[in-house]
């Protein structure tokens, strides 16, 4: 593997609800994921994040695992309902104290803290008032960001306001597969705009406190036109047109406003999108204030076809054929990472800030062999391919400053519960035992070699 720049940040990622547990401790309020995971038939294995990886109590052990790995950055998320149990009002000092301890223990080990403010765990009280459909939630988010940055801004080096607003929008508010589990099919656009406005207000608040870089973590997926057989060779012009629509929806809806200060053409065709009543004067200026970095979460490209007759959407998503798949069934396509990075550079040019890969990784059904070791060869293959694809994008002139792998350890994978393991470290969810996998040793060697 070619050398990476000497100051390149190799790191790992996690999120609060997926690892922390301790959901009623030290004054934490309920989030929409507490509510959702406790409803029947929402989660594949009928589990919840009540305990998850018990990281709230075991963070010191987890930081030690990161130190031994040699990472220079750790991307975690702050649970809003720990800081503000009902999403408004003064900070809960005991909740903030947890992140204070975490940040200090990271810095003691030479690991730069990268904090996400919203990885989907909205305070339930705000959902009861409409959640992201309510413009007030954006203002609340700005105030929460102010409290968090006031407490931690002297030490956090990178802030991510939102995690994957497109996924929170589609899975949470259109398909209903994630919390809050609603299907706002008649009028979804406010959830888009209020998340972006919340980002802008939070970004401005963070800048008041400390010198950490301000960013957002978006999910990107190259939209590949395919035919009925799932191959690119089988695509025709109507499939290519459908892929362009999907590309604007998935890859540009939350990025054009940030970097170009306007929504992509076609957004007005979203059902009920009365832009004039939702996008108020000045909003796009708040949203498009310059960023210090752009977080890119990449998993795989998406196969897109023209819709069948009378389909409700102007595109149809299709499994790509011809690629190996992970335990989720997601195709393994490293070159999609190069493609999306180069596309971002072409699309946004000088307005594109330095990129951080804020998530990339894969799940496999790995467990201990007879000798107790966990040999996750497929994960090493996935990661090796993607790190090479990242290097290729950098060679093509895209500036990337860091790579935070998803994930440090197996954790609670949303609607899939504990059945999908993404970690470099295996977690036994009965005993909470942590066992580094072969991929952990592989990543440690990569970091040692290339920095
Ligand atoms: C991220 O979301 C989340 O930020 C993180 O919390 C989560 O644990 C992690 O990824 C792993 O899931 O339909 O086959 O083309 C990822 C969002 C949305 C990426 C679905 C892959 C579909 C694959 N994902 N997408 S496919």
């Amino acid at each position: 593997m070619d050398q990476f720049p000497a100051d390149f940040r190799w790191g790992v990622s996690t999120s609060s609800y997926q690892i922390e547990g301790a959901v009623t401790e030290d004054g934490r309020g309920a989030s929409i994921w507490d509510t959702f995971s406790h409803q029947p038939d929402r989660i594949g294995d009928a589990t919840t994040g009540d305990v998850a990886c018990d990281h709230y109590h075991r963070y010191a052990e987890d930081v030690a695992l990161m130190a031994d790995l040699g990472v220079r950055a750790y991307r975690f998320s702050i649970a809003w309902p720990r800081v503000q149990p009902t999403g408004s009002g003064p900070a809960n000092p005991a909740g903030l104290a947890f992140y204070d301890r975490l940040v200090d223990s990271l810095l003691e080990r030479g690991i730069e803290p990268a904090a996400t403010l919203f990885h989907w765990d909205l305070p339930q009280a705000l959902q009861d008032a409409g959640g992201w459909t309510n413009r007030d939630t954006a203002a609340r988010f700005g105030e929460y960001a102010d409290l968090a940055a006031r407490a931690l801004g002297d030490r956090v080096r990178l802030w991510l306001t939102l995690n994957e607003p497109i996924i929170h929008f589609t899975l949470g508010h259109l398909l209903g597969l994630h919390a809050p589990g609603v299907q706002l099919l008649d009028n979804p656009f406010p959830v888009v705009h209020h998340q972006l406005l919340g980002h802008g207000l939070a970004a401005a608040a963070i800048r008041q406190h400390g010198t950490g870089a301000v960013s957002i973590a978006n999910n990107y997926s190259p939209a590949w036109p395919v035919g009925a057989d799932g191959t690119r060779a089988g695509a025709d012009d109507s499939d290519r047109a459908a892929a362009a629509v999907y590309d604007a929806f998935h890859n540009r809806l939350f990025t054009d406003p940030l970097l170009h200060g306007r929504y992509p053409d076609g957004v007005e065709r979203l059902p009920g999108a009365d832009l004039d009543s939702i996008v108020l004067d000045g909003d796009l200026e708040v949203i498009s204030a310059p960023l210090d970095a752009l977080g890119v979460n990449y998993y795989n490209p998406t196969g897109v076809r023209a819709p069948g007759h009378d389909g409700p959407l102007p595109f149809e998503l299709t499994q790509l054929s011809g690629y190996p798949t992970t335990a989720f069934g997601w195709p393994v396509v490293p070159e999609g990472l190069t493609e999306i990075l180069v596309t971002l550079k072409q699309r946004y040019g000088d307005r594109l800030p330095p990129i951080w890969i804020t998530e990339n990784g894969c799940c496999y059904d790995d467990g201990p062999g007879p000798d107790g070791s966990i040999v996750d060869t497929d994960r090493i293959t996935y990661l090796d391919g993607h790190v090479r694809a990242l290097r290729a994008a950098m060679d093509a002139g895209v500036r990337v400053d860091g790579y935070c792998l998803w994930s440090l350890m197996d954790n609670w994978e949303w609607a899939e519960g504990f059945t999908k393991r993404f970690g470099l470290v295996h977690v036994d969810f009965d005993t909470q035992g942590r066992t580094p996998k072969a991929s952990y040793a592989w990543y440690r060697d990569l970091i040692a070699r290339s920095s």
Side-chain angles (χ1 to χ4, degrees):
M1 187 89 53
D2 289 329
Q3 286 290 305
F4 278 73
D7 59 351
F8 191 79
R9 277 22 165 242
W10 295 103
V12 284
S13 278
T14 63
S15 91
S16 47
Y17 191 68
Q18 295 180 271
I19 66 166
E20 286 180 356
V23 292
T24 57
E25 267 176 67
D26 295 330
R28 177 187 179 280
S31 83
I32 57 174
W33 272 98
D34 297 288
T35 307
F36 187 80
S37 67
H38 281 266
Q39 290 167 351
D41 303 325
R42 293 295 203 176
I43 309 301
D45 62 358
T47 59
T48 72
D50 285 1
V51 178
C53 303
D54 195 32
H55 171 77
Y56 194 75
H57 301 115
R58 295 168 196 261
Y59 74 92
E61 178 184 353
D62 296 334
V63 171
L65 281 164
M66 286 185 254
D68 290 344
L69 186 56
V71 290
R72 285 185 55 178
Y74 173 44
R75 173 178 177 242
F76 59 97
S77 82
I78 298 173
W80 186 350
R82 287 197 194 282
V83 176
Q84 287 179 304
T86 61
S88 58
N92 166 33
L96 271 177
F98 169 69
Y99 299 105
D100 202 64
R101 294 193 293 277
L102 173 65
V103 162
D104 282 346
S105 66
L106 290 168
L107 290 172
E108 277 164 25
R109 306 297 200 116
I111 302 170
E112 296 184 10
T116 306
L117 286 166
F118 180 68
H119 203 120
W120 306 344
D121 41 2
L122 190 79
Q124 181 61 43
L126 294 185
Q127 187 62 38
D128 296 341
W132 290 108
T133 67
N134 184 348
R135 186 178 169 94
D136 188 55
T137 297
R140 298 280 78 75
F141 187 61
E143 288 179 12
Y144 151 61
D146 182 76
L147 295 175
R150 210 177 268 279
L152 305 169
D154 56 336
R155 287 158 291 158
V156 168
R157 300 317 311 145
L158 174 66
W159 291 96
L160 293 311
T161 54
L162 307 174
N163 178 66
E164 297 187 347
I166 184 71
I167 303 295
H168 190 53
F169 173 53
T170 52
L171 297 191
H173 296 82
L174 290 179
L175 301 174
L177 299 171
H178 278 188
V182 294
Q183 294 182 274
L184 305 172
L185 302 178
D186 295 336
N187 187 20
F189 181 69
V191 174
V192 174
H193 187 65
H194 297 151
Q195 285 191 87
L196 279 169
L197 182 61
H199 155 83
L201 295 172
I206 296 164
R207 291 208 186 279
Q208 309 291 313
H209 310 287
T211 56
V214 176
S215 184
I216 181 171
N218 272 326
N219 182 281
Y220 294 100
S221 179
W224 282 5
V226 294
D229 61 354
T231 72
R232 299 173 88 182
D236 64 18
D237 284 346
S238 66
D239 301 317
R240 280 183 276 279
V245 173
Y246 183 76
D247 180 49
F249 177 74
H250 189 92
N251 296 314
R252 292 173 46 200
L253 186 58
F254 286 93
T255 309
D256 281 14
L258 293 167
L259 299 182
H260 277 158
R262 55 177 151 73
Y263 280 100
D265 291 344
V267 71
E268 64 285 348
R269 290 199 296 275
L270 281 170
D274 178 7
L275 299 197
D276 292 342
S277 71
I278 299 162
V279 183
L280 304 188
D281 280 351
D283 286 1
L284 283 162
E285 284 70 40
V286 171
I287 290 167
S288 62
L291 294 172
D292 302 313
L294 178 68
V296 170
N297 293 3
Y298 171 77
Y299 288 90
N300 54 262
T302 304
V304 187
R305 291 170 64 198
H309 292 299
D310 307 326
L313 296 173
F315 48 76
E316 195 172 294
L317 304 188
T318 301
Q319 178 78 25
L320 291 174
S321 60
Y323 295 95
T325 54
T326 70
F328 237 134
W330 302 349
V332 178
V333 190
E335 59 270 33
L337 176 57
T338 315
E339 179 183 323
I340 204 69
L341 295 174
V342 169
T343 300
L344 283 167
K345 177 81 190 168
Q346 285 167 350
R347 201 164 266 178
Y348 300 107
D350 292 343
R351 299 198 182 190
L352 182 71
I355 286 174
W356 274 68
I357 307 300
T358 33
E359 285 183 32
N360 175 237
C362 54
C363 64
Y364 289 103
D365 296 324
D366 31 42
D371 64 349
S373 70
I374 298 159
V375 186
D376 55 340
T377 314
D378 288 338
R379 178 167 293 100
I380 295 173
T381 303
Y382 178 102
L383 294 171
D384 180 76
H386 285 76
V387 170
R388 287 172 196 277
L390 166 61
R391 182 67 245 184
M394 293 167 72
D395 289 342
V398 183
R399 178 171 160 191
V400 183
D401 288 357
Y403 174 88
C404 289
L405 189 159
W406 186 274
S407 179
L408 168 66
M409 57 188 163
D410 297 340
N411 57 51
W412 192 79
E413 175 57 30
W414 308 115
E416 309 292 325
F418 291 116
T419 63
K420 297 288 186 287
R421 296 179 175 274
F422 278 87
L424 296 176
V425 175
H426 181 272
V427 177
D428 178 325
F429 293 107
D430 295 323
T431 64
Q432 292 295 345
R434 273 91 159 127
T435 309
K437 305 177 189 177
S439 57
Y440 175 98
W442 172 87
Y443 195 41
R444 188 181 53 205
D445 291 348
L446 169 80
I447 295 170
R449 244 188 2 256
S450 57
S451 49

